[in-house]
Amino acid sequence: VDLDRREVWRDGARRPLARGDWAILARLLEDDGMPVPHEELLTAAFGSPYRDERVRLQAAIARLRRILGARAGQSGPIRAVRGVGYRIEPLA
């Protein structure tokens, strides 16, 4: 992940991200592995009118997990924190 260039690379290929997905990934990376509340992620990605739309966040997290290399049924580096939100583990 190159934050300055707003790019994600995996297996030697650039993986494009939608603006909202990028905002979620950047927000998770800012907190260096600490949990980020659902509402903060939704507001960062889609604006405050969407702060309660968890289904939208779940879909974005699923896309990010696939882009970052998680297989079906796996969370990859993005982990759910029950009752709080999500956190990201260090990326290799």
Side-chain angles (χ1 to χ4, degrees), residues 18-87:
R19 187 174 66 177
D21 294 351
W22 177 258
I24 291 169
L25 180 59
R27 184 67 188 85
L28 288 169
L29 290 168
E30 283 176 17
D31 277 18
D32 199 28
M34 298 299 295
V36 181
H38 298 108
E39 296 80 12
E40 283 187 36
L41 293 170
L42 281 161
T43 299
F46 308 111
S48 59
Y50 297 95
R51 63 179 287 131
D52 294 323
E53 294 195 23
R54 299 243 177 119
V55 172
R56 184 181 287 250
L57 178 59
Q58 291 168 344
I61 293 292
R63 281 191 304 273
L64 284 170
R65 285 174 168 162
R66 283 191 307 272
I67 288 167
L68 295 175
R71 294 192 170 114
Q74 296 179 337
S75 63
I78 300 176
R79 307 292 179 157
V81 180
R82 188 180 192 116
V84 178
Y86 294 91
R87 67 180 179 83

Side-chain angles (χ1 to χ4, degrees), residues 1-37:
V1 175
D2 185 333
L3 288 173
D4 294 330
R5 290 184 173 197
R6 297 181 66 156
E7 294 179 339
V8 174
W9 291 80
R10 192 186 87 213
D11 299 329
R14 184 175 176 273
R15 307 293 177 169
L17 291 181
R19 187 174 66 177
D21 294 351
W22 177 258
I24 291 169
L25 180 59
R27 184 67 188 85
L28 288 169
L29 290 168
E30 283 176 17
D31 277 18
D32 199 28
M34 298 299 295
V36 181

